[in-house]
Each structure stands twice: as structure tokens, then as C-alpha cells.
Amino acid sequence: MLPRIVVMGRPNVGKSTLFNRLAGRRIAIVDDTPGVTRDRKEVVARIAGRDVLLVDTAGLEESAPDTIPGRMRASSEAALRGADLVLFVVDVRTGLTPSDRAFAQWLRRQGKPVLLLANKAEGRQGAANSLEAYELGLGAPLPVSGEHGDGFGELHDEIREALPPEPQEEEEEDDADRPLRLAIVGRPNAGKSTLLNALLGEERMITGPEPGLTRDSVAVKWIDETGKPVRLVDTAGLRRRARITQALEQMSTAATIAALKECEIAVLVVDAVQGMDEQDLRIARLAEREGRAIVIAFNKWDAVEDRAAARRRLEDVLTSSLAQLRGILIVPLSAATGRGVDKLMPTVREAYEVWNRRVPTGALNRWFEDALSRHQPPLVEGKRLKLRYATMPKARPPTIAIFGTRAELLPEDYRRYLVNSFRDAFDMPGVPVRLNLRGTDNPYSEE
């Protein structure tokens, strides 16, 4: 029997938009009018590398049982009874409402695993606003955007951890036997399929000088030279959105983005002859936004005449345009000749270890105190921000939660200082680092 994931929340928080995004196609009708969904919808979907039964429900409302909203709520409660995991959705734009708090309290009593999704959290301010949802007592809120797809890589990871283990073979696997999920991404004709063939040692994918030969994401199971399993996914090349016109190419692009959200490491293949352009940077930013670790495969290295200059140009672009991934690992190689390909997987494993690393709370707070003593937080509106302590609620990617009075007002440049200091202190180059700031209320302040 497939695990059952139920999407719940009050009306108009974006449940059906999230449902469609997770399902990978438009199934539920989406509109700004509250209460569009009245009957629950079910679909078999592939989420986090597993087939699941995804259920969209009507909005939860406080109403008499004999009314339409009351019957809608009864239908949603019936869906909950068979759930293996609940996705409880709140709207960060409107903030928490009494209904959110009441239904969260009711949900805590049901004894079901719950992931708290702070929807409509586009951009940095949306992620900051999502921290209000901590008070619901359902764990750390995960900022996502059903409309734009932000945060869905981390959502897939959280779902994978929360679901019950798969039966039989998967149940017996430990972490050492679980395959590393690796996606090969990049622009058309950068050499992605050639690189996959070089890693496998066989002509698994069709290659040629024509751009766009690969039209769908193709997954291949493989054992690398260390004897460890890898799930390799070759993807279609990602072009600029303005150039995507045909329906088939739109589906190819959607499959590539889905593969990027389900992977753990993204190998970004860059044409070393042409250098890293704006589209390569967009792909890298998309991977960073989804919380994936990135390794750059600087392909066609054998065709580069001035290698020192090419390497300097690449590092200058990364420094100026991808500062949030400072220290990203680069492997110059030639997929066509095989030269340098043997260095790629050790580098990928190195990036994975960094991306998966946890820092003990004691060491984290020693770093935090030292960072504050070296550079005090600035005044905001004439008042000093009092940052008290830090925790690391999760890795994959490394995530720091900082608590203190008015911590959410911390300026952007000081946030970058903390992230860069954290990278240097714990040797975490080239992986996304999440910084969550949670302010504490002053009981003596006026309402």
C-alpha cells in the first residue's frame, strides 16, 4: 500500500497550488476564491523518489456539521484518519489566524506526523515571516511557495525523512547502502550526456553536436569506483525561459527542475571554452535556492588554450555573482576524452559530506560568541539587537537558527558576515547555508 500524504489547512492558504506542484501537473482547480476545493482529490505522485498517494482536502472551517463547510471539514477529517503524513499549510502573507492556531492545536492531538508548511514565502522576507509559525507547536516551519516552486527541494527531503520506511529491500538498507542522488544539469550542448557516459564507461545516452538531444530526465543506477551506489540523473539542457516555446520543451524543463529538487548533489556542467554565462548562474542559483550542494564540472578542458586565464575568469564570475556559494568545488575535465573524469566523484563525495555535516551545539555557540565579539551587531532604529544563542536544527543543507531580541531585524550585510564566518569556522565551502532568525518578545514593551 502506498504511503498517504494529506494536505490540510484553512481555506485559501494555497493547498491546491501546493498539491498541483507536488503532483507535477494541474489536477486541482486553483482560484483566489476561498472554498474552491470541496471534495478531497487523490492522485498517485512521485515525491522524494517514492510513489505516494497525495490527497488534497477542503479548507478547515469552524461550522455546524449540517452546513456545507461543516461537511467539507468532516471529509477532511476522514482523510486524516488514514494519513501517514500531514502537510499543514499556513499563509505567511496574512499571518497566523485564530483558525490556524485552533486547527494546529487539534492536529497535535491526532498523533499523526506533521510537516508545517509556511506557504507564499517568496523571497527573503517571506522566509523571515514564516518564523511566526513556530508558535503553533508543530516543529520548524518550512518556507515554500506553491506558486513559484521555492523550497520544494527541502520539502522533498523533509517528506523523505518523515515517511515510514519502504517495505522489503528498502527497509533493510542502512545509510551506507542508500544511493547518492546525483543530477547532471547545465545548458544545452555543455556535455552532460557525454559526462554520464564517461562515468558509466558505456554509451548509455545518445550524444552528438546537436543541442537538445536529451529531452527527458533519465535515471541510471550505478556503483562508483569506491563500491558505493549512486543514482545518476541526466537532464535536458535548461535554456532561458524566454526561449522555451514548444510544449515538449516545457515538459523537458519541468522534468529537469523536478530532478534538481529530488537530488542531493547537482553537478553543473559548464562549457570551459565558452565560459560561465548568465544561464549557468541561473541554474546554480536555482540549485542553491533548493538547498542542493553543487559541484562545477568545467567540461571541454582539453580544448581550452589559455587554461590559467579561463580558470581566473570562472573564479571571478563565481566571486562576483555567486557569493552565496563561496568556495564552490570545481573539477576541470574532458568528458569526451575521459581526462579528469576520475576526479569528479571524489569531489562529489567531499561536497556531500560537507552538505550533510552537523555541528554540535556547544561548538556552534562558541563560534557564535566569538563572531559577536569580533563584530557586534549594528544598531537598528537606534537600538542594539541582542542575539542570545544559536542552534543547528538540521543539515542538508546546513541550517543555523539564531534567537534574540529583534533578531529578525538583522541587516543583510550582518547576515552575510555570520554565514561567511560560519563557513570559515567549520570548513563548509561551496554549499548553501540557511540562516533563520527568530526574535523574542519583550514582555515589558507596550502593545
Side-chain angles (χ1 to χ4, degrees):
M1 183 179 294
L2 295 178
R4 189 181 183 92
I5 301 176
V6 178
V7 184
M8 304 190 77
R10 63 178 175 82
N12 218 32
V13 294
K15 299 185 298 300
S16 294
T17 305
L18 282 161
F19 174 81
N20 288 342
R21 177 76 65 173
L22 284 169
R25 58 192 186 276
R26 186 184 177 92
I27 297 171
I29 297 174
V30 176
D31 192 82
D32 290 337
T33 306
V36 170
T37 302
R38 289 185 172 179
D39 298 297
R40 60 181 185 266
K41 292 181 173 63
E42 298 182 355
V43 64
V44 176
R46 186 76 175 174
I47 300 176
R50 292 181 61 177
D51 289 328
V52 302
L53 184 64
L54 186 64
V55 183
D56 186 24
T57 63
L60 294 168
E61 296 186 74
E62 293 282 2
S63 300
D66 57 344
T67 63
I68 290 178
R71 294 198 295 271
M72 290 161 56
R73 176 179 174 178
S75 174
S76 299
E77 292 176 353
L80 176 67
R81 286 194 286 271
D84 294 290
L85 176 64
V86 178
L87 305 182
F88 185 64
V89 185
V90 297
D91 182 347
V92 302
R93 292 180 189 169
T94 59
L96 296 182
T97 67
S99 294
D100 290 322
R101 295 182 174 89
F103 287 120
Q105 185 177 11
W106 167 77
L107 199 55
R108 289 200 304 269
R109 296 196 297 266
Q110 306 309 307
K112 298 287 185 180
V114 178
L115 288 180
L116 176 59
L117 306 188
N119 193 29
K120 307 181 185 179
E122 299 88 353
R124 196 177 299 277
Q125 188 58 42
N129 293 341
S130 69
L131 297 177
E132 180 190 11
Y134 265 102
E135 68 180 74
L136 295 179
L138 294 172
L142 185 63
V144 297
S145 170
E147 183 177 357
H148 300 284
D150 295 2
F152 270 65
E154 292 185 49
L155 176 56
H156 279 240
D157 289 341
E158 295 291 340
I159 290 174
R160 183 182 298 109
E161 295 296 327
L163 286 177
E166 292 188 75
Q168 299 176 352
E169 299 89 1
E170 296 293 334
E171 199 170 36
E172 297 171 1
E173 287 185 349
D174 57 22
D175 289 340
D177 297 326
R178 189 174 58 81
L180 172 68
R181 299 188 304 280
L182 182 66
I184 301 176
V185 297
R187 286 182 287 145
N189 216 31
K192 300 182 294 299
S193 296
T194 306
L195 177 58
L196 183 139
N197 289 342
L199 288 169
L200 297 179
E202 61 176 281
E203 292 297 314
R204 175 64 176 78
M205 301 296 296
I206 298 174
T207 60
E210 303 88 355
L213 284 176
T214 302
R215 286 186 163 180
D216 198 359
S217 297
V218 179
V220 180
K221 291 185 178 179
W222 172 57
I223 303 296
D224 68 8
E225 65 276 2
T226 65
K228 295 180 180 178
V230 180
R231 185 177 182 269
L232 274 172
V233 180
D234 185 26
T235 63
L238 286 173
R239 297 201 298 166
R240 292 205 305 269
R241 184 178 300 178
R243 294 185 177 181
I244 300 173
T245 56
Q246 299 179 358
L248 177 60
E249 190 172 1
Q250 291 174 351
M251 289 186 287
S252 298
T253 300
T256 297
I257 294 174
L260 188 58
K261 291 175 179 178
E262 289 196 8
C263 76
E264 294 169 317
I265 308 291
V267 174
L268 174 58
V269 182
V270 175
D271 188 327
V273 177
Q274 297 182 14
M276 194 166 193
D277 72 357
E278 185 58 35
Q279 181 61 8
D280 294 313
L281 290 171
R282 287 193 186 98
I283 297 170
R285 292 185 189 114
L286 175 61
E288 188 273 338
R289 189 179 71 190
E290 294 300 333
R292 308 300 101 179
I294 305 173
V295 173
I296 292 180
F298 212 30
N299 192 29
K300 306 181 184 179
W301 191 240
D302 55 327
V304 176
E305 295 182 1
D306 190 344
R307 297 182 177 180
R311 186 68 182 254
R312 281 197 304 272
R313 285 194 298 270
L314 174 63
E315 291 175 350
D316 288 344
V317 170
L318 293 175
T319 300
S320 61
S321 303
L322 213 61
Q324 67 270 38
L325 290 172
R326 193 178 73 177
I328 191 169
L329 298 176
I330 304 168
V331 182
L333 54 82
S334 171
T337 65
R339 182 171 298 177
V341 173
D342 60 326
K343 298 177 182 177
L344 179 61
M345 284 309 299
T347 306
V348 165
R349 294 282 182 189
E350 179 183 346
Y352 176 78
E353 291 299 323
V354 174
W355 181 71
N356 203 35
R357 184 185 304 160
R358 281 188 175 272
V359 177
T361 301
L364 184 68
N365 278 284
R366 286 192 292 273
W367 156 77
F368 186 52
E369 293 172 3
D370 182 63
L372 295 181
S373 65
R374 285 189 284 112
H375 187 182
Q376 283 290 324
L379 296 175
V380 175
E381 299 176 353
K383 298 179 180 178
R384 178 72 64 187
L385 303 184
K386 297 179 181 179
L387 305 182
R388 304 188 186 282
Y389 66 94
T391 64
M392 190 173 182
K394 65 184 288 289
R396 308 162 62 93
T399 301
I400 317 164
I402 294 178
F403 296 80
T405 305
R406 297 185 298 278
E408 71 280 2
L409 302 179
L410 202 64
E412 182 60 33
D413 56 349
Y414 197 84
R415 299 183 191 206
R416 286 197 298 269
Y417 159 71
L418 288 176
V419 168
N420 290 332
S421 173
F422 174 81
R423 287 188 197 279
D424 295 339
F426 298 106
D427 191 23
M428 290 191 174
V431 297
V433 174
R434 299 287 187 257
L435 186 65
N436 295 333
L437 301 168
R438 180 128 189 248
T440 55
D441 293 330
N442 183 352
Y444 300 103
S445 65
E446 297 181 0
E447 290 295 323

